[in-house]
Amino acid sequence: MKFFIDTANLDQILEAKSFGILDGVTTNPSLMAKEGIKGADNIMAHYRKICEIVDGDVSAEVIATEYKAMIKEGVALSEIAPNIVVKVPMTVDGVKAIRYFTENGIRTNCTLVFSAGQAILAAKAGATYVSPFIGRIDDMNWDGMMLIQQIAEIYAIQQYDTEILAASIRSSKQIVEAAESGADVVTCPLDSIKGLFYHPLTDIGLAKFLADHKKVNG
Ligand code: E4P
């Protein structure tokens, strides 16, 4: 399973990269706004900076909602760097745009996916990634992880190439569950990635190893 970080914060991206396990980055308009990035030129420049830090895929989302405008914006985003993946919302125009991008060699991430039916449409249109939003489904008292399992089963039966990118992750536990459920990729906040490192028995065990070594070696 690939690990993406879900942020537009350059320091967090650098920190995640320093762990040696980072495969890519996802952003969305809310995450860009959180960093105070505004105006088309600044947005493009910020994506360029992220692509200079990370070799793996960087999802950059279109703001346009109408087909022709999505194509124009997506083409411009794809020209920023070879590792840009154009993120497109799951709408009728979005699916049509994904089909256009697929036929023109532009990789895509179909975002805002909340059902297996939507995931089938994304795969049919040729999306590189499909992003089911786990946390937001759980927030509605449904089971986000069940959706990952369902999509994984369908994609295996139908032999779709689209990779399942578990998004809207809120905890380290969900990362493990996404791996169990058949996600190809998980995108998560830095804290959820860091949470995977820690176990009290690791700390206790290491302290004992070092104490035993010190007893003999001084
Ligand atoms: C990533 O691609 C998604 O935009 C993101 O994971 C959404 O997360 P949220 O539900 O925490 O906003």
Side-chain angles (χ1 to χ4, degrees):
M1 186 174 74
K2 288 188 266 188
F3 268 61
F4 290 178
I5 185 166
D6 196 23
T7 185
N9 182 286
L10 300 181
D11 290 336
Q12 291 191 12
I13 293 168
L14 282 165
E15 186 175 347
K17 188 187 177 190
S18 75
F19 301 149
I21 49 90
L22 187 66
D23 298 301
V25 176
T26 52
T27 64
N28 62 39
S30 302
L31 293 171
M32 293 290 276
K34 196 172 159 192
E35 298 307 313
I37 318 293
K38 57 181 174 186
D41 288 349
N42 290 331
I43 289 171
M44 299 294 254
H46 196 75
Y47 283 136
R48 200 165 292 116
K49 283 184 197 161
I50 296 175
C51 290
E52 281 165 8
I53 296 172
V54 179
D55 294 330
D57 290 345
V58 174
S59 287
E61 188 161 342
V62 296
I63 306 296
T65 55
E66 184 271 324
Y67 174 71
K68 280 190 180 154
M70 277 180 173
I71 300 300
K72 192 173 171 212
E73 201 182 338
V75 168
L77 288 169
S78 74
E79 286 169 352
I80 293 173
N83 53 333
I84 283 281
V85 173
V86 178
K87 203 171 181 192
V88 181
M90 167 44 71
T91 60
V92 173
D93 283 41
V95 169
K96 284 163 63 178
I98 290 169
R99 166 54 59 198
Y100 173 89
F101 291 134
T102 304
E103 286 172 359
N104 287 275
I106 294 172
R107 294 176 311 129
T108 53
N109 174 355
C110 183
T111 190
L112 290 166
V113 166
F114 295 93
S115 76
Q118 291 179 324
I120 290 171
L121 290 175
K124 290 285 292 174
T128 313
Y129 298 105
V130 63
S131 287
F133 276 33
I134 304 312
R136 292 193 197 184
I137 293 173
D138 287 354
D139 289 346
M140 298 292 287
N141 203 24
W142 285 65
D143 190 336
M145 224 43 83
M146 265 181 56
L147 177 60
I148 297 287
Q149 288 163 19
Q150 191 183 14
I151 297 171
E153 276 177 35
I154 292 168
Y155 279 17
I157 292 166
Q158 300 297 331
Q159 299 183 325
Y160 291 142
D161 293 332
T162 301
E163 292 188 51
I164 303 167
L165 195 169
S168 184
I169 291 286
R170 308 270 162 81
S171 70
S172 307
K173 184 168 172 274
Q174 285 178 320
I175 298 175
V176 176
E177 288 169 353
E180 281 178 330
S181 302
D184 300 293
V185 191
V186 69
T187 188
C188 20
L190 181 61
D191 283 349
S192 303
I193 299 174
K194 284 162 99 170
L196 293 174
F197 283 96
Y198 303 111
H199 195 287
L201 290 178
T202 304
D203 297 341
I204 292 166
L206 182 59
K208 177 142 181 26
F209 284 157
L210 296 179
D212 289 347
H213 176 83
K214 200 172 172 189
K215 267 188 231 160
V216 176
N217 294 276

